[in-house]
Amino acid sequence: MTAAAERHRGRKPGAHIAVTGVSHRFRRNATYALTDVDFEIQPCEAVALVGRSGCGKSTLLHIMSGLTTPTKGEIRLDGALVKGPSPECVVMFQQPHLFPWMTVAQSVGLGLKFAGRPKKEIEARVRELLALVELDGYEKRNVQELSGGQQQRVALARSLAVHPEVLFLDEPFSALDLVTRRALQQDVRRIATEIGITLVIVTHDIPEAVTMADRAIVMAPNPGRIFDIVPIDLDDADRAERRPAAQAAQERLQKSFEGASGRSVELAAARQAGGETLRLAAAGQR
Amino acid sequence: MSAEAIDGAALARFESETRARKVGDASRGAGFALIGLAVLLAVWWFGGKIIADNPATANFAGFAPAPTFEKLWEMLKSGFAWRMTWPSLMRIGAGLAWAIAIGVPLGIVIGRFRAAREASSVPFQFLRMISPLAWMPIAVLAFPSWDRAIIFLIGVAAVWPILFSTAHGFRRIDPAWFKVGRNLGARPWHMLFTIIMPAIAQDALAGIRLAVGVAWIVLVPAEFLGVTSGLGYSINDARDALEYDRLAATVVIIGVIGFSLDWICERAIRRASWAREE
Ligand SMILES: Nc1ncnc2c1ncn2[C@@H]1O[C@H](COP(=O)(O)OP(=O)(O)OP(=O)(O)O)[C@@H](O)[C@H]1O
Ligand SMILES: [Mg+2]
């Protein structure tokens, strides 16, 4: 993290993110989807948000990216309050959500077009990014003529084209086959370190978190909250799935993950048992 | 990379095969179309013959194919055909332009805002069901010239399919596209021109195609009144002059132009459509 920041001295490195006192309740829901979430992400760090389905990972990601305004609390990007979505922190969703009438080049250059950049610059940037995601020569293809993995790579290139400081990923590879998924996980981490951006990855895949992140924030459901923070201090070479170091990290994370989801199960069971005894006691008194 | 090269070769082969199949389909389609046209001509010729052979109706022999096409050729050569078609095309063009200028933005608003949709649903369905020609007396009172009254009638006929198709197209937009747009820094006009417009183009054009059909049908009766130019007027005029060959030739012109307009719309829809078949 700081090492990566060092490497990018001179250029503006990925942003620092501060999440303070964030709670969120959806309008029609009685309960909070997130309560009192506090944490910090260092510039150029890669952080995974893991936890069971429904624990508020996507909600937190949308709040951090400015697409959703939290009920309480605030997000600061390099100290500046986040008030809405901006190309400084782009989101890659579970589906690539490409515009089906566009070519690959048009898709990748879209953010730059919105920013009013000159045509020449857009063309050059598109070529650069397609090389980065290994899709050189695909400029003129319609996006519908690509495979799922290629479409996700176009979405990645589109996100990176606008020179973001943070890249948010919401289970971006879960629709892909294992081999493509692993390749993309490594690619995204490599690219993020190369160009120096902060990464936030939502996932419930433990190996994915270990491959991609420097740190995993484990979340617990009902209401959504931070349960644990697990550091993943590995060299990139050690992140390959079969390395013992990676497996040890996976086990640690797995344990925490189970703790986060299991404990609430135990808690519920205990509460139920407690209720039972209370009722029995009340019956005994009568 | 080599796997992709193989993919490329396979793709090229597949594409050429599909193209061959498409060419085959097209020539077969053209064959059937010719047969259909021949049947239509035969029926027309036969009807003309019955009319000509019956002394009671012999005056109407001009309706038969031979005199019709003879007259049509003469009208084309003298430029008369063009002189009476041009005003009609101008009127339909102006009416459609108004209908598009009003129908597309209104359709977007109705597709976008639920309240607008619910509030407008009953009044719009009510207005839509009124024959455009029923507006004729009002149009004549409201507009200073017959020309403008006709343009108004065409606009009234054409606006509904455009409006409803556009609204329908808007509602089919994937909400995630707006999220992606906002995230990449799209301003409202970017949303409109780079996301909404291409997304609804196909549906809006389908509405315009329907509108062209309705407008072309409304045009002829609208031109029966007041004006002294255009295809509708020409039909009335030919009837009054008992020139049945001219009347039939005008009908042919109306059919051919209507067919061409529809064909143009169909091509435009195909160009605007972004959905790929698998
Ligand atoms: N738009 C919404 N309106 C109301 N409730 C919502 C909405 N989106 C999410 N929720 C609720 O908020 C909670 C957290 O949802 P969220 O999508 O953040 O979970 P998640 O951790 O991303 O789950 P998954 O791993 O399945 O994607 C869930 O209980 C969900 O039902
Ligand atoms: Mg989610």
Short mmCIF file of all heavy atoms in Angstrom, two decimals, chain A residues 4 55 59-60 86 106 110 112 116 122 137 139 158 164 204 209 221 234 236 243 247 260:
data_model
loop_
_atom_site.label_atom_id
_atom_site.label_comp_id
_atom_site.label_asym_id
_atom_site.label_seq_id
_atom_site.Cartn_x
_atom_site.Cartn_y
_atom_site.Cartn_z
N ALA A 4 3.31 0.99 -2.68
CA ALA A 4 2.77 1.36 -4.00
C ALA A 4 2.69 2.88 -4.12
O ALA A 4 3.00 3.45 -5.17
CB ALA A 4 1.39 0.74 -4.17
N CYS A 55 -25.47 -8.78 3.69
CA CYS A 55 -24.90 -8.09 4.84
C CYS A 55 -24.58 -6.63 4.52
O CYS A 55 -24.04 -5.91 5.36
CB CYS A 55 -23.68 -8.82 5.36
SG CYS A 55 -22.31 -8.80 4.23
N THR A 59 -24.45 -2.19 -0.70
CA THR A 59 -24.94 -0.91 -0.18
C THR A 59 -23.77 -0.02 0.21
O THR A 59 -23.70 1.16 -0.17
CB THR A 59 -25.84 -1.16 1.03
OG1 THR A 59 -26.83 -2.11 0.67
CG2 THR A 59 -26.50 0.11 1.50
N LEU A 60 -22.80 -0.60 0.94
CA LEU A 60 -21.64 0.16 1.38
C LEU A 60 -20.83 0.67 0.18
O LEU A 60 -20.39 1.82 0.14
CB LEU A 60 -20.77 -0.71 2.29
CG LEU A 60 -19.52 -0.06 2.88
CD1 LEU A 60 -19.87 1.22 3.62
CD2 LEU A 60 -18.79 -1.02 3.81
N SER A 86 -18.79 10.51 -9.23
CA SER A 86 -17.88 11.28 -10.08
C SER A 86 -16.88 10.32 -10.71
O SER A 86 -16.65 9.23 -10.18
CB SER A 86 -17.15 12.32 -9.26
OG SER A 86 -15.95 11.79 -8.76
N GLN A 106 -15.85 3.08 -28.75
CA GLN A 106 -16.82 4.06 -28.23
C GLN A 106 -17.08 3.82 -26.74
O GLN A 106 -17.18 4.77 -25.97
CB GLN A 106 -18.14 3.97 -29.00
CG GLN A 106 -18.07 4.57 -30.39
CD GLN A 106 -19.31 4.25 -31.20
OE1 GLN A 106 -19.94 3.21 -31.02
NE2 GLN A 106 -19.66 5.15 -32.10
N LEU A 110 -16.04 6.49 -23.64
CA LEU A 110 -17.27 7.20 -23.24
C LEU A 110 -17.04 8.27 -22.17
O LEU A 110 -17.48 9.41 -22.32
CB LEU A 110 -18.29 6.17 -22.76
CG LEU A 110 -19.70 6.68 -22.57
CD1 LEU A 110 -20.25 7.21 -23.88
CD2 LEU A 110 -20.60 5.57 -22.05
N LEU A 112 -14.37 9.83 -21.37
CA LEU A 112 -13.56 10.94 -21.87
C LEU A 112 -14.41 11.84 -22.77
O LEU A 112 -14.23 13.06 -22.79
CB LEU A 112 -12.36 10.40 -22.65
CG LEU A 112 -11.38 9.59 -21.82
CD1 LEU A 112 -10.36 8.90 -22.69
CD2 LEU A 112 -10.68 10.49 -20.81
N GLY A 116 -15.45 15.86 -22.40
CA GLY A 116 -15.18 16.83 -23.46
C GLY A 116 -13.74 16.83 -23.95
O GLY A 116 -13.25 17.84 -24.45
N ILE A 122 -8.70 10.99 -27.05
CA ILE A 122 -9.55 9.83 -26.73
C ILE A 122 -9.04 8.61 -27.47
O ILE A 122 -8.87 7.53 -26.90
CB ILE A 122 -11.02 10.12 -27.08
CG1 ILE A 122 -11.55 11.28 -26.24
CG2 ILE A 122 -11.88 8.88 -26.85
CD1 ILE A 122 -12.99 11.64 -26.49
N GLY A 137 -6.88 -4.28 -31.17
CA GLY A 137 -7.46 -4.65 -32.45
C GLY A 137 -8.97 -4.88 -32.40
O GLY A 137 -9.58 -5.17 -33.41
N GLU A 139 -11.14 -2.54 -31.52
CA GLU A 139 -11.78 -1.22 -31.48
C GLU A 139 -13.14 -1.18 -32.18
O GLU A 139 -14.09 -0.64 -31.65
CB GLU A 139 -10.88 -0.16 -32.13
CG GLU A 139 -9.74 0.33 -31.28
CD GLU A 139 -8.48 -0.48 -31.49
OE1 GLU A 139 -8.58 -1.60 -32.05
OE2 GLU A 139 -7.40 -0.02 -31.09
N ARG A 158 -13.12 0.82 -19.75
CA ARG A 158 -13.97 2.00 -19.71
C ARG A 158 -13.86 2.71 -18.35
O ARG A 158 -13.80 3.93 -18.27
CB ARG A 158 -15.43 1.58 -19.95
CG ARG A 158 -16.42 2.72 -19.85
CD ARG A 158 -17.82 2.27 -20.19
NE ARG A 158 -18.39 1.40 -19.15
CZ ARG A 158 -19.60 0.87 -19.21
NH1 ARG A 158 -20.36 1.09 -20.26
NH2 ARG A 158 -20.04 0.10 -18.25
N PRO A 164 -9.32 7.28 -12.97
CA PRO A 164 -9.93 7.36 -11.63
C PRO A 164 -8.85 7.23 -10.55
O PRO A 164 -7.75 6.75 -10.83
CB PRO A 164 -10.84 6.14 -11.61
CG PRO A 164 -10.17 5.16 -12.49
CD PRO A 164 -9.50 5.95 -13.58
N HIS A 204 -17.84 -12.58 -2.21
CA HIS A 204 -17.96 -13.57 -1.14
C HIS A 204 -17.11 -14.78 -1.46
O HIS A 204 -17.26 -15.83 -0.87
CB HIS A 204 -19.40 -13.98 -0.80
CG HIS A 204 -20.34 -13.98 -1.95
ND1 HIS A 204 -21.62 -13.54 -1.84
CD2 HIS A 204 -20.18 -14.32 -3.22
CE1 HIS A 204 -22.22 -13.62 -3.00
NE2 HIS A 204 -21.37 -14.10 -3.85
N ALA A 209 -10.65 -12.75 -2.63
CA ALA A 209 -10.18 -11.72 -1.70
C ALA A 209 -8.69 -11.86 -1.47
O ALA A 209 -7.95 -10.88 -1.46
CB ALA A 209 -10.95 -11.83 -0.38
N PRO A 221 -24.16 -9.73 9.00
CA PRO A 221 -25.49 -9.24 8.61
C PRO A 221 -26.39 -8.90 9.81
O PRO A 221 -26.07 -9.22 10.94
CB PRO A 221 -26.07 -10.42 7.84
CG PRO A 221 -25.43 -11.62 8.45
CD PRO A 221 -24.08 -11.21 8.98
N LEU A 234 0.83 -10.43 1.74
CA LEU A 234 1.50 -11.42 0.90
C LEU A 234 2.20 -10.72 -0.26
O LEU A 234 1.74 -9.67 -0.73
CB LEU A 234 0.48 -12.40 0.31
CG LEU A 234 -0.29 -13.30 1.27
CD1 LEU A 234 -1.30 -14.11 0.50
CD2 LEU A 234 0.65 -14.20 2.04
N ASP A 236 3.09 -10.57 -4.18
CA ASP A 236 2.22 -10.95 -5.29
C ASP A 236 2.49 -12.40 -5.74
O ASP A 236 1.56 -13.11 -6.12
CB ASP A 236 2.41 -9.97 -6.46
CG ASP A 236 1.59 -8.72 -6.22
OD1 ASP A 236 0.86 -8.67 -5.20
OD2 ASP A 236 1.67 -7.78 -7.04
N ARG A 243 -0.14 -21.65 -3.29
CA ARG A 243 0.97 -21.35 -2.38
C ARG A 243 0.52 -21.54 -0.94
O ARG A 243 -0.60 -21.16 -0.58
CB ARG A 243 1.44 -19.91 -2.58
CG ARG A 243 2.17 -19.66 -3.88
CD ARG A 243 3.39 -20.58 -3.94
NE ARG A 243 4.22 -20.25 -5.10
CZ ARG A 243 5.22 -19.38 -5.08
NH1 ARG A 243 5.48 -18.72 -3.98
NH2 ARG A 243 5.93 -19.17 -6.17
N GLN A 247 -2.81 -20.15 1.12
CA GLN A 247 -3.80 -21.04 1.74
C GLN A 247 -3.98 -20.71 3.22
O GLN A 247 -5.10 -20.76 3.73
CB GLN A 247 -3.38 -22.50 1.54
CG GLN A 247 -3.58 -22.89 0.09
CD GLN A 247 -3.48 -24.37 -0.16
OE1 GLN A 247 -2.79 -25.08 0.58
NE2 GLN A 247 -4.12 -24.84 -1.20
N ALA A 260 -18.37 -14.47 11.37
CA ALA A 260 -19.30 -13.37 11.11
C ALA A 260 -20.70 -13.89 10.81
O ALA A 260 -21.69 -13.34 11.29
CB ALA A 260 -18.79 -12.54 9.94
#
